[in-house]
Structures are given as C-alpha cells and as structure tokens.
Amino acid sequence: MAVPSPTYEERLKAYEGRAAAVAGVGKDPVNEPMIRHWCEAMGDTNPAYAGPDAMAPPTMLQVWTMGGLSGHTGRSEAYDELFALLDGAGYTSVVATDCEQEYLRPLRPGDEITFDAMIESVSGRKTTKLGTGHFVTTRMDVRAGEELAGTHRFRILKYAPAQSKQRKRTEQPGPKDRSNPKSRRPRPVINRDNAGFWEGVARHQLLIQRCSGCEALRFPWLPGCNACGCLEWDTVEASGDGTVYSYVVMHHPPFPAFDPPYAVGLVELSEGVRMVSNVVGVPYDKVRIGMPVRLEFQRYDEELELPVFRPGGTGEGGGG
Ligand code: ZN
C-alpha cells in the first residue's frame, strides 16, 4: 500500500520546531553606550538605565542579537527552505504582524549574549485583507552566559496579495526579474487615497490636492484637510516649476535598483507644497538648496514612470 504523500499544510507543519538560527553570538556585549543611545532615541529617562548599577531597558532584548549591515552567519537552512516552499506556492509577499517579548532576567553592561531561534509555528491557510497565506512564528531565546534572559517571538504573514486592479493590468515579475533586482525599482503603493495622483502621473500631470473647504493645497495626498478637517477636495495641476528646498545624498544603505550616490530632493513647488523626488541631470554633489528645478516624467521600466526634477526652469537666480 502506497504511503500518501504529505499535503502542502503537512509539509509546512514539518518545519515547526526546526532551528531558524543556531548558536548566534551578540556582536557586542551589553554596553552602556548602546543603552544610552537607545534611551535618548526613546526619550526614556528612567534612572534604572543609567549609573553604576544600570540595567538595559528590557525592550532592548532583540537589539543585542541584531547582526547589523554585515549580518550574522548561522541562519539555518530550514528557514530558507520554508520560505522557498511558501514562495513556490505563490505566497511571495511578507509583512511583519507582531512581536511578543518575555523577560526573565535583567541584562547589564558586560553580559555576553548568545541566542537561538526556532520556527515555533506555521499556521493553517488564513485570509486577511492583505491576501491569503500562512503566519510563521519564530521564537528567539536570548541568553546571558548560560542563563535564559528572555524570549522574543516574531510573527510574519507570508501571503499572496489580494488581486488589485494594478496587478492584473501588469505582468508579474518573472524569475528573471527576481534574479536581477537592479532591473526594477520598487513599485509605489497605490490606494484609494492616492490613486488620483498616480492617474495624473500617467497623464504627465502632477496633481496637488486642494481642500474644498478652505482651499489649502496639500501634498502628499491625504483623505482630509489638515487645516480644517474637510473631506472634500479637488485638484490643481502643478506648473512644474520649483526649487530645491533641501536634499540629501544617499550613499548607504544601497538598495537594489538604485545606484548610490544619488541626490534625493525636497522640492518646493511654485504652488507652495513640497515633495520628495529625485533631482536628475546634475551630478549628486552639485545639487544645492535654492536651485531652480523643472518637473519632468522619467520612465524607469515598462510600467513605472515617476515625476522627477531637473535643474533649470523659470526660477529666479542661479542656484547658489
Ligand atoms: Zn481645508
């Protein structure tokens, strides 16, 4: 008698209890400078986190296990296999849903951290507003020396996105695109609140929302007016003239499809609203605050066109 082959859900369930990361070692021992930076970032002035008897804020638990940009070795094959199994069934998107932490012992400067992570559970098939897929819960045990200091549970949903109008209209990225991430910039997230903006872009119009109650212009698009709360609006088309209000030059981290260094401008349109966009047609180190720029639409691939700004236009002055 033939043994029935496992169902898809049984194959997923078989990953429960398998290692997601083994024998991880914290890159730094628990230390005062990282505690201080955390407390400053959080605005946490609790005296327990300073001074000679300082302890680390319990919520820093995961911080001590993080690999930084260079990452950790020791990620298990099981985790990659599970992801491949989910990807293969079309559950190619991922969203973090929640995390839970449990604290068993305070961490103090000097504690050396080790950790292990296991795939704790893989849920049955669930349908959410985002789409249908499986929740994967990973449990990380964090130790100081041999002692369990806390656990960190992290849950994600691996899912097939609910079909949207835009996805149906366009080709799904094939394996070729995935193996060459440089070929595709990230897609904008288009929703009911900003669809009109992207419809304008498709017609080579940069549309600014105008409140029907108080006539305040707003950008980026929002469902209601910040000034008066009115939910009614129409649009005005930007003239396309603007100036660089501020900018940054991106070096790190490098993202697929982007070639750093490049300039990201905060452009003040002549209508008064500001938008974040690329400043093109000028070396990244020649972008200046006050530089007059002119709108154009740049095509990045067969389906993606974005508003960008190029020096020039009718602005006054020479851009400092
Ligand atoms: Zn208003």
Side-chain angles (χ1 to χ4, degrees):
M1 192 178 89
V3 178
S5 59
T7 64
Y8 182 69
E9 294 219 355
E10 285 166 349
R11 289 170 67 201
L12 293 179
K13 285 277 175 197
Y15 285 91
E16 290 186 349
R18 292 188 60 185
V22 286
V25 177
K27 291 215 160 171
D28 298 289
V30 176
N31 64 81
E32 286 175 63
M34 283 171 67
I35 294 172
R36 184 172 60 77
H37 293 160
W38 169 280
C39 289
E40 285 186 5
M42 295 291 172
D44 192 333
T45 54
N46 191 319
Y49 307 144
D53 299 320
M55 58 179 269
T59 47
M60 281 186 81
L61 187 67
Q62 193 193 10
V63 170
W64 311 112
T65 70
M66 287 179 164
L69 284 176
S70 55
H72 280 299
T73 55
R75 181 171 155 126
S76 81
E77 281 171 16
Y79 205 72
D80 291 338
E81 283 172 21
L82 174 59
F83 266 55
L85 190 58
L86 290 161
D87 283 338
Y91 306 124
T92 51
S93 295
V94 64
V95 62
T97 58
D98 63 292
C99 78
E100 295 163 32
Q101 293 188 335
E102 197 177 342
Y103 312 117
L104 303 172
R105 160 207 193 281
L107 292 172
R108 298 186 186 280
D111 280 334
E112 301 274 354
I113 299 299
T114 59
F115 57 94
D116 291 289
M118 64 177 270
I119 300 163
E120 189 170 64
S121 69
V122 185
S123 80
R125 195 162 173 270
K126 305 278 185 190
T127 296
T128 72
K129 269 193 174 171
L130 285 173
T132 295
H134 296 266
F135 289 93
V136 178
T137 306
T138 306
R139 190 188 85 213
M140 183 186 282
D141 290 325
V142 181
R143 294 185 180 77
E146 295 300 303
E147 228 179 319
L148 188 60
T151 61
H152 173 80
R153 273 190 183 77
F154 183 67
R155 191 167 295 116
I156 59 160
L157 174 65
K158 276 286 279 176
Y159 67 100
Q163 287 284 305
S164 70
K165 251 183 355 198
Q166 210 220 352
R167 282 183 81 85
K168 280 183 201 153
R169 204 171 59 219
T170 60
E171 274 180 40
Q172 300 276 342
K176 190 167 120 266
D177 300 304
R178 294 174 65 85
S179 64
N180 182 10
K182 280 197 97 56
S183 66
R184 290 176 77 87
R185 271 171 88 109
R187 310 289 100 174
V189 175
I190 300 175
N191 56 39
R192 278 181 296 178
D193 294 329
N194 68 10
F197 171 76
W198 292 104
E199 286 160 14
V201 169
R203 297 190 303 266
H204 287 191
Q205 294 179 315
L206 184 63
L207 298 179
I208 303 166
Q209 277 180 308
R210 177 172 55 193
C211 172
S212 302
C214 71
E215 304 209 325
L217 298 179
R218 63 178 186 260
F219 194 93
W221 282 38
L222 291 168
C225 176
N226 278 340
C228 76
C230 177
L231 298 176
E232 304 298 317
W233 52 269
D234 63 1
T235 59
V236 293
E237 182 181 354
S239 70
D241 288 321
T243 53
V244 175
Y245 182 82
S246 185
Y247 67 96
V248 293
V249 174
M250 286 295 293
H251 295 268
H252 264 286
F255 293 104
F258 292 82
D259 284 315
Y262 54 90
V264 177
L266 178 63
V267 172
E268 185 162 277
L269 302 177
S270 58
E271 289 77 12
V273 297
R274 295 174 194 153
M275 73 177 284
V276 174
S277 179
N278 284 114
V279 182
V280 303
V282 58
Y284 68 88
D285 57 354
K286 294 286 186 284
V287 174
R288 292 290 180 272
I289 288 171
M291 182 180 257
V293 289
R294 173 83 200 155
L295 170 72
E296 65 180 45
F297 290 87
Q298 184 157 316
R299 180 161 283 288
Y300 288 91
D301 55 50
E302 73 283 359
E303 69 180 30
L304 184 65
E305 208 171 6
L306 296 175
V308 298
F309 290 86
R310 183 181 291 273
T314 57
E316 306 267 315

mmCIF file of all heavy atoms in Angstrom, residues 210-216 218 224-232, ligand 1:
data_model
loop_
_atom_site.group_PDB
_atom_site.id
_atom_site.type_symbol
_atom_site.label_atom_id
_atom_site.label_comp_id
_atom_site.label_asym_id
_atom_site.label_seq_id
_atom_site.Cartn_x
_atom_site.Cartn_y
_atom_site.Cartn_z
ATOM 1 N N ARG A 210 -6.517 70.115 -3.441
ATOM 2 C CA ARG A 210 -6.965 71.404 -2.906
ATOM 3 C C ARG A 210 -8.227 71.176 -2.096
ATOM 4 O O ARG A 210 -9.194 70.579 -2.579
ATOM 5 C CB ARG A 210 -7.251 72.393 -4.042
ATOM 6 C CG ARG A 210 -7.805 73.747 -3.556
ATOM 7 C CD ARG A 210 -7.900 74.758 -4.669
ATOM 8 N NE ARG A 210 -8.684 74.227 -5.784
ATOM 9 C CZ ARG A 210 -8.729 74.796 -6.990
ATOM 10 N NH1 ARG A 210 -8.039 75.898 -7.244
ATOM 11 N NH2 ARG A 210 -9.465 74.263 -7.944
ATOM 12 N N CYS A 211 -8.193 71.633 -0.859
ATOM 13 C CA CYS A 211 -9.334 71.452 0.040
ATOM 14 C C CYS A 211 -10.515 72.275 -0.461
ATOM 15 O O CYS A 211 -10.372 73.453 -0.781
ATOM 16 C CB CYS A 211 -8.938 71.906 1.448
ATOM 17 S SG CYS A 211 -10.331 71.929 2.581
ATOM 18 N N SER A 212 -11.689 71.647 -0.526
ATOM 19 C CA SER A 212 -12.879 72.373 -0.970
ATOM 20 C C SER A 212 -13.396 73.297 0.127
ATOM 21 O O SER A 212 -14.145 74.234 -0.151
ATOM 22 C CB SER A 212 -13.992 71.390 -1.355
ATOM 23 O OG SER A 212 -13.544 70.535 -2.369
ATOM 24 N N GLY A 213 -13.002 73.036 1.377
ATOM 25 C CA GLY A 213 -13.476 73.874 2.478
ATOM 26 C C GLY A 213 -12.684 75.158 2.604
ATOM 27 O O GLY A 213 -13.249 76.251 2.621
ATOM 28 N N CYS A 214 -11.361 75.050 2.659
ATOM 29 C CA CYS A 214 -10.539 76.233 2.940
ATOM 30 C C CYS A 214 -9.551 76.536 1.815
ATOM 31 O O CYS A 214 -8.764 77.472 1.939
ATOM 32 C CB CYS A 214 -9.801 76.065 4.266
ATOM 33 S SG CYS A 214 -8.467 74.848 4.202
ATOM 34 N N GLU A 215 -9.566 75.719 0.768
ATOM 35 C CA GLU A 215 -8.716 75.928 -0.402
ATOM 36 C C GLU A 215 -7.227 75.710 -0.132
ATOM 37 O O GLU A 215 -6.389 76.012 -0.982
ATOM 38 C CB GLU A 215 -8.948 77.317 -1.032
ATOM 39 C CG GLU A 215 -10.409 77.541 -1.389
ATOM 40 C CD GLU A 215 -10.595 78.473 -2.574
ATOM 41 O OE1 GLU A 215 -9.797 79.416 -2.716
ATOM 42 O OE2 GLU A 215 -11.548 78.238 -3.349
ATOM 43 N N ALA A 216 -6.884 75.185 1.057
ATOM 44 C CA ALA A 216 -5.469 74.890 1.320
ATOM 45 C C ALA A 216 -5.014 73.787 0.362
ATOM 46 O O ALA A 216 -5.733 72.819 0.118
ATOM 47 C CB ALA A 216 -5.284 74.442 2.766
ATOM 48 N N ARG A 218 -2.502 70.667 -0.528
ATOM 49 C CA ARG A 218 -1.771 69.689 0.278
ATOM 50 C C ARG A 218 -1.097 68.645 -0.602
ATOM 51 O O ARG A 218 -1.588 68.264 -1.666
ATOM 52 C CB ARG A 218 -2.679 69.034 1.314
ATOM 53 C CG ARG A 218 -3.825 68.223 0.755
ATOM 54 C CD ARG A 218 -4.614 67.592 1.923
ATOM 55 N NE ARG A 218 -5.634 66.683 1.467
ATOM 56 C CZ ARG A 218 -6.934 66.979 1.367
ATOM 57 N NH1 ARG A 218 -7.360 68.190 1.676
ATOM 58 N NH2 ARG A 218 -7.800 66.066 0.961
ATOM 59 N N GLY A 224 -8.099 63.824 4.058
ATOM 60 C CA GLY A 224 -8.766 65.014 4.572
ATOM 61 C C GLY A 224 -7.793 66.164 4.745
ATOM 62 O O GLY A 224 -6.584 66.008 4.592
ATOM 63 N N CYS A 225 -8.354 67.326 5.067
ATOM 64 C CA CYS A 225 -7.550 68.548 5.178
ATOM 65 C C CYS A 225 -7.005 68.700 6.595
ATOM 66 O O CYS A 225 -7.756 68.670 7.564
ATOM 67 C CB CYS A 225 -8.416 69.758 4.825
ATOM 68 S SG CYS A 225 -7.551 71.322 5.032
ATOM 69 N N ASN A 226 -5.696 68.905 6.690
ATOM 70 C CA ASN A 226 -5.066 69.134 7.998
ATOM 71 C C ASN A 226 -5.479 70.464 8.604
ATOM 72 O O ASN A 226 -5.441 70.628 9.808
ATOM 73 C CB ASN A 226 -3.538 69.142 7.849
ATOM 74 C CG ASN A 226 -2.972 67.742 7.837
ATOM 75 O OD1 ASN A 226 -3.620 66.812 8.299
ATOM 76 N ND2 ASN A 226 -1.784 67.592 7.312
ATOM 77 N N ALA A 227 -5.835 71.418 7.735
ATOM 78 C CA ALA A 227 -6.134 72.753 8.242
ATOM 79 C C ALA A 227 -7.550 72.836 8.795
ATOM 80 O O ALA A 227 -7.780 73.422 9.843
ATOM 81 C CB ALA A 227 -5.931 73.786 7.127
ATOM 82 N N CYS A 228 -8.528 72.250 8.098
ATOM 83 C CA CYS A 228 -9.913 72.454 8.520
ATOM 84 C C CYS A 228 -10.696 71.144 8.698
ATOM 85 O O CYS A 228 -11.836 71.170 9.132
ATOM 86 C CB CYS A 228 -10.647 73.372 7.535
ATOM 87 S SG CYS A 228 -11.108 72.562 5.988
ATOM 88 N N GLY A 229 -10.091 70.014 8.341
ATOM 89 C CA GLY A 229 -10.773 68.734 8.541
ATOM 90 C C GLY A 229 -11.734 68.347 7.440
ATOM 91 O O GLY A 229 -12.315 67.256 7.473
ATOM 92 N N CYS A 230 -11.900 69.202 6.470
ATOM 93 C CA CYS A 230 -12.861 68.938 5.386
ATOM 94 C C CYS A 230 -12.414 67.729 4.562
ATOM 95 O O CYS A 230 -11.232 67.564 4.255
ATOM 96 C CB CYS A 230 -12.953 70.181 4.503
ATOM 97 S SG CYS A 230 -14.024 69.967 3.077
ATOM 98 N N LEU A 231 -13.371 66.893 4.185
ATOM 99 C CA LEU A 231 -13.050 65.691 3.420
ATOM 100 C C LEU A 231 -13.240 65.872 1.918
ATOM 101 O O LEU A 231 -12.944 64.982 1.136
ATOM 102 C CB LEU A 231 -13.906 64.510 3.906
ATOM 103 C CG LEU A 231 -13.701 64.104 5.374
ATOM 104 C CD1 LEU A 231 -14.668 62.990 5.769
ATOM 105 C CD2 LEU A 231 -12.267 63.656 5.624
ATOM 106 N N GLU A 232 -13.772 67.008 1.529
ATOM 107 C CA GLU A 232 -13.994 67.269 0.090
ATOM 108 C C GLU A 232 -12.766 67.950 -0.484
ATOM 109 O O GLU A 232 -12.151 68.790 0.167
ATOM 110 C CB GLU A 232 -15.212 68.187 -0.095
ATOM 111 C CG GLU A 232 -16.497 67.676 0.535
ATOM 112 C CD GLU A 232 -16.951 66.362 -0.068
ATOM 113 O OE1 GLU A 232 -16.898 66.229 -1.310
ATOM 114 O OE2 GLU A 232 -17.316 65.453 0.703
HETATM 115 ZN ZN ZN B 1 -9.338 72.745 4.462
#
